Amino acid sequence: MRIKIPKNYSVIASNINLLRTWVMKFISFFNDSKIRLMRWMLAAWICVLLIVCIPLPAFSAVTQIEEYPGQMLYQSRQKLQDQNGNSWQAIAFKRIHPEGSSTVSLRVVGFPGAVEFYRTQPLILTTSMGETLTAKDISSEISKGTPTPANVAEYDIKSVLPQLQAEIPVQLTLPVVTGSAIELQIPSTAIQEWQTISAH
């Protein structure tokens, strides 16, 4: 029995071969793209791991200012949040006077109009180990002759800092006129900066 081959067989075969070639190229391209995509994803994942897992060098936030000849000011600033999610600024500083005397203070600043400090009460510092220390309010010394804003308080922490362990976080309890006392969590890195300032 003879099979009859159509006259346009060579054209059909040619089209089939061309189609097969295009399909193979498409599959090859897809596979290459998939591999490229996988490589990019792997590289991105490695970068994320490097950023998250490898600690970056610590850069000190301690600044040094010569207020005027012979008087130096060292300070460290932290932005903190209280238990209600409100933002605060804590500024620890040491001022060295020309005659050699020095003061080490912590100034705490809340949002204007949102808080009023209870001036006669001390700042309470509680370590995560349960130890409690107090720092005297010296807000009246911020600016002589000018009333200190209600949302600003300053405390003498010179005698308190040597009693803190740099690796143990501290909670500050701020006395306020109305409502519950404000609680701020101070990370160990901030304690280290404050102690660095005090050591100058």
Side-chain angles (χ1 to χ4, degrees):
M1 181 178 175
R2 296 180 63 187
I3 299 173
K4 189 175 181 182
I5 299 173
K7 292 180 181 179
N8 60 349
Y9 174 78
S10 60
V11 174
I12 294 171
S14 174
N15 287 341
I16 290 173
N17 285 336
L18 184 62
L19 180 62
R20 185 185 309 152
T21 303
W22 277 103
V23 168
M24 294 304 291
K25 283 184 178 180
F26 176 78
I27 291 170
S28 175
F29 172 79
F30 179 78
N31 285 339
D32 288 347
S33 296
K34 193 172 181 181
I35 289 170
R36 254 187 260 130
L37 177 64
M38 293 298 286
R39 285 180 183 162
W40 275 107
M41 288 177 64
L42 181 61
W45 182 243
I46 290 170
C47 289
V48 168
L49 285 176
L50 288 173
I51 290 169
V52 172
C53 297
I54 298 177
L56 297 173
F59 295 100
S60 175
V62 175
T63 58
Q64 176 181 335
I65 304 165
E66 187 173 14
E67 293 184 303
Y68 56 83
Q71 181 160 305
M72 298 301 298
L73 178 71
Y74 300 90
Q75 67 177 2
S76 165
R77 295 173 178 262
Q78 280 84 29
K79 288 185 179 177
L80 306 168
Q81 282 193 332
D82 63 20
Q83 71 270 32
N84 301 315
N86 300 315
S87 295
W88 292 77
Q89 189 172 43
I91 309 159
F93 58 90
K94 179 177 185 177
R95 180 172 280 117
I96 302 175
H97 302 283
E99 76 279 2
S101 65
S102 66
T103 56
V104 182
S105 305
L106 177 65
R107 186 174 296 172
V108 185
V109 183
F111 193 78
V115 66
E116 183 180 350
F117 281 100
Y118 197 177
R119 301 286 184 212
T120 60
Q121 298 299 310
L123 171 69
I124 299 172
L125 300 91
T126 308
T127 70
S128 57
M129 306 297 287
E131 183 182 5
T132 300
L133 303 166
T134 60
K136 180 185 174 186
D137 184 292
I138 54 169
S139 302
S140 60
E141 300 175 17
I142 293 176
S143 55
K144 306 290 184 184
T146 306
T148 302
N151 64 307
V152 179
E154 191 166 316
Y155 302 94
D156 181 359
I157 58 170
K158 189 172 187 176
S159 61
V160 173
L161 284 179
Q163 301 178 60
L164 298 176
Q165 296 181 47
E167 64 277 3
I168 298 177
V170 171
Q171 176 183 286
L172 300 184
T173 304
L174 310 174
V176 291
V177 173
T178 57
S180 304
I182 304 296
E183 295 175 354
L184 301 177
Q185 301 299 324
I186 309 298
S188 56
T189 52
I191 303 298
Q192 291 169 15
E193 285 185 13
W194 296 357
Q195 291 179 335
T196 299
I197 286 171
S198 183
H200 277 287

